[in-house]
Amino acid sequence: MSKLHVTTKVNGDTVEFLCDPRETLLDVLRDRLGLTGAKEGCGTGDCGACSVTVDGRLVCSCLMLGAEAEGKEIATVEGIAEGGALHPLQKKFIEYAALQCGICTPGILVAAKNLLEKTPDPTEEQVRYWLAGNLCRCTGYDKIIRAVMDTAAEMREAS
Amino acid sequence: MQYHRPATFEDAVTLAAGAQGVTRFLAGGTDVLVQMRSDIVTPDTLIDIKAIPGTHDITRQEDGGWRIGVAVTGAEMREHAELDRDWPGLVEAMDLIGSTQVQGRATLTGNLCNASPAADSVPAMIAAGVTATITGPDGSRTAPVEEIPAGPGKTSLARGEMITALHVPPRGTGGGDAYLRFIPRTEMDIAVVGCGVNLVVEGDTITHARVTLGAVAPTAVLVHAAEDALVGRTLDEEALTALADLAEASCNPIDDKRGTIRFRTHVAGVLARRAAKIAYDRAKGAAK
Ligand SMILES: Cc1cc2nc3c(=O)[nH]c(=O)nc-3n(C[C@H](O)[C@H](O)[C@H](O)COP(=O)(O)OP(=O)(O)OC[C@H]3O[C@@H](n4cnc5c(N)ncnc54)[C@H](O)[C@@H]3O)c2cc1C
Ligand code: FES
Ligand code: FES
């Protein structure tokens, strides 16, 4: 099977890779680009552990082919911190203990950041619906929701 | 598997018509990739339609209707305030599909052509009177969307044919639509029953009615008799009861772990009542 040549941007950097047509964007990120932040929980769009944004739009990277990344701008959890400085969401997740095993955390951070960019002042209901496709088997969600709400409040004050 | 990204519909159709083995079009991929991953369907040829110009556009037509490109996502429909004002039922049906992440990719056309009996947008599209432009090696034709699903996982599209646009009719005045589904939880589940209602009123009197049901038969059901039962009346208790009875009588569901035949049939009547009330209020100009 001949491989496809793809040029895309990941977290602001132009990257090129060769991939099999059947490889998902998640496979490419993890196995070809060494970006193992996005996780594979299910591979079928149900858990959200593989969440990334593509041209600013939140998607499951397991439901997109690597080939479809051509010419796109991908953002993953690896791009959230600026250098050594954690993003406010990351700090709040630590402060609130909004993670235990951490498998769901990269996807939830990407999803929550995307929400706050569009909706800086969300209601709790909006946060819960927005994150309904991000499953967490450890925390019971409450700490995650509180961490996101508090980050939103803090970011509004700071801006 | 061969992956193609044609730049025109002509090229896409030529590829599809000439391909050997299993062919799939790739819109949002939220069905195609799941089926690949679960080894249900592994296409030999995958034709990505998203590089074709115009496929991402929602366009107001001269007659007041809408043209929806075949790569337009649920999220893009939800964010389109004017489309939502005209056809809130259609938009809410699409919006029920999957999570935020799935909304970022899933399309109306994909939901239609995947031909699941439980597809949420399909009853709403049929109620609204949506039509599809279908293009194949021999040219283009237009068909109402209800003619496209032919049974679970099957469509009436011939080899080499694809949908190139969906057309939503002009809303006009006094119109309102609604879609409701029953699922055992509030998000991320497959409809046990779905119901679409589209009404036009003059004052309090109904002048046009289309009622549809999903997940109660191999394909979405248009409750033909509902039109006669509702047109010329107001939506009073008698009309609602007649509608619920007709909805129940139109059901031919399966018994499975998600719902028994009896339960699905009962819920169809309940949802028809509730969706009709919402559509009626919207038609009478109630704020959404
Ligand atoms: C986690 C999750 C939750 C979901 N929840 C729901 C739900 O609640 N309700 C629901 O109804 N669905 C649900 N789905 C299913 C799916 O998201 C929808 O059916 C979606 O609308 C499919 O659109 P797509 O663009 O992703 O289609 P694709 O996967 O790209 O394509 C689906 C089918 O349509 C065909 N096709 C695509 N475009 C064309 C075209 N232009 N011409 C001809 N054929 C074409 C393809 O060949 C393929 O057979 C869910 C899926 C996931 C992963
Ligand atoms: S791995 Fe993509 S949604 Fe679960
Ligand atoms: S912290 Fe373990 S799944 Fe969320």
Side-chain angles (χ1 to χ4, degrees):
Chain A
M1 217 179 293
S2 66
K3 287 211 163 35
L4 301 167
H5 177 253
V6 177
T7 308
T8 186
K9 261 193 182 177
V10 180
N11 299 327
D13 298 328
T14 300
V15 297
E16 290 178 59
F17 56 85
L18 291 172
C19 73
D20 182 282
R22 291 191 54 169
E23 273 179 63
T24 64
L25 176 61
L26 178 61
D27 296 333
V28 166
L29 289 171
R30 294 182 56 85
D31 302 339
R32 299 207 180 265
L33 303 178
L35 295 171
T36 55
K39 301 286 185 272
E40 177 164 312
C42 64
T44 51
D46 295 293
C47 77
C50 63
S51 298
V52 301
T53 62
V54 177
D55 291 344
R57 192 64 83 180
L58 186 68
V59 303
C60 293
S61 59
C62 73
L63 289 189
M64 175 170 162
L65 295 175
E68 292 179 80
E70 176 68 38
K72 304 282 181 203
E73 294 200 13
I74 318 282
T76 71
V77 70
E78 284 89 348
I80 288 187
E82 290 189 21
L86 293 182
H87 185 276
L89 270 170
Q90 293 171 308
K91 287 189 208 152
K92 286 288 177 209
F93 267 58
I94 296 168
E95 187 186 320
Y96 277 77
L99 65 153
Q100 290 175 31
C101 79
I103 287 281
C104 68
T105 315
I108 291 183
L109 288 170
V110 170
K113 178 166 179 276
N114 190 251
L115 168 69
L116 297 186
E117 281 161 5
K118 291 174 204 278
T119 314
D121 192 7
T123 62
E124 180 176 331
E125 194 181 2
Q126 279 175 313
V127 177
R128 286 186 184 272
Y129 268 110
W130 187 267
L131 296 178
N134 290 88
L135 302 186
C136 174
R137 294 296 83 182
C138 303
T139 64
Y141 300 103
D142 214 57
K143 291 176 173 175
I144 293 173
I145 304 299
R146 277 190 278 151
V148 174
M149 293 297 287
D150 197 24
T151 309
E154 189 185 279
M155 286 175 73
R156 284 197 305 277
E157 265 168 42
S159 68
Chain B
M1 188 184 86
Q2 298 242 357
Y3 170 83
H4 301 277
R5 189 166 39 220
T8 64
F9 283 121
E10 269 169 27
D11 288 352
V13 165
T14 306
L15 280 165
Q20 303 291 318
V22 179
T23 303
R24 285 289 181 275
F25 294 101
L26 181 63
T30 60
D31 285 313
V32 168
L33 265 83
V34 171
Q35 288 160 12
M36 274 170 60
R37 165 74 191 214
S38 328
D39 289 325
I40 299 170
V41 181
T42 306
D44 300 294
T45 305
L46 193 58
I47 304 171
D48 187 345
I49 58 170
K50 293 188 292 297
I52 301 173
T55 52
H56 298 272
D57 300 341
I58 300 175
T59 323
R60 172 80 84 175
Q61 302 300 101
E62 261 174 37
D63 66 0
W66 295 94
R67 180 188 176 284
I68 301 185
V70 290
V72 168
T73 63
E76 287 162 345
M77 288 175 62
R78 167 52 76 209
E79 288 162 10
H80 199 292
E82 263 188 87
L83 179 69
D84 190 33
R85 214 174 301 134
D86 275 9
W87 294 101
L90 178 63
V91 172
E92 73 198 350
M94 188 64 203
D95 190 49
L96 283 171
I97 294 176
S99 55
T100 313
Q101 287 85 340
V102 170
Q103 283 291 312
R105 299 266 295 167
T107 66
L108 276 178
T109 309
N111 196 227
L112 178 68
C113 295
N114 186 57
S116 159
D120 281 302
S121 75
V122 176
M125 280 197 275
I126 298 173
V130 174
T131 58
T133 303
I134 300 161
T135 303
D138 304 326
S140 293
R141 62 191 174 96
T142 305
V145 291
E146 54 267 41
E147 289 178 9
I148 289 161
K154 290 198 180 63
T155 71
S156 61
L157 300 178
R159 191 169 183 80
E161 279 192 327
M162 67 178 296
I163 295 182
T164 49
L166 293 174
H167 311 277
V168 191
R171 178 65 285 188
T173 50
D177 71 330
Y179 177 81
L180 290 175
R181 71 171 180 187
F182 176 83
I183 57 173
R185 45 206 295 251
T186 52
E187 269 284 82
M188 297 289 279
D189 209 337
I190 300 165
V192 177
V193 181
C195 177
V197 177
N198 176 28
L199 301 175
V200 179
V201 298
E202 264 177 51
D204 288 345
T205 308
I206 298 167
T207 58
H208 171 83
R210 262 165 91 85
V211 177
T212 53
L213 295 167
V216 296
T219 58
V221 174
L222 178 61
V223 185
H224 288 282
E227 167 127 47
D228 278 345
L230 296 179
V231 167
R233 327 174 47 151
T234 64
L235 197 70
D236 54 14
E237 186 52 35
E238 211 181 305
L240 285 167
T241 304
L243 172 64
D245 289 347
L246 289 171
E248 289 188 16
S250 305
C251 293
N252 176 22
I254 54 167
D255 240 335
D256 71 3
K257 61 174 192 259
R258 318 189 61 258
T260 60
I261 291 174
R262 215 174 133 212
F263 179 74
R264 286 180 200 254
T265 306
H266 175 70
V267 171
V270 173
L271 292 186
R273 268 175 175 274
R274 291 184 188 169
K277 282 189 192 167
I278 298 170
Y280 190 63
D281 286 346
R282 285 177 180 167
K284 295 207 300 177
K288 206 192 139 195

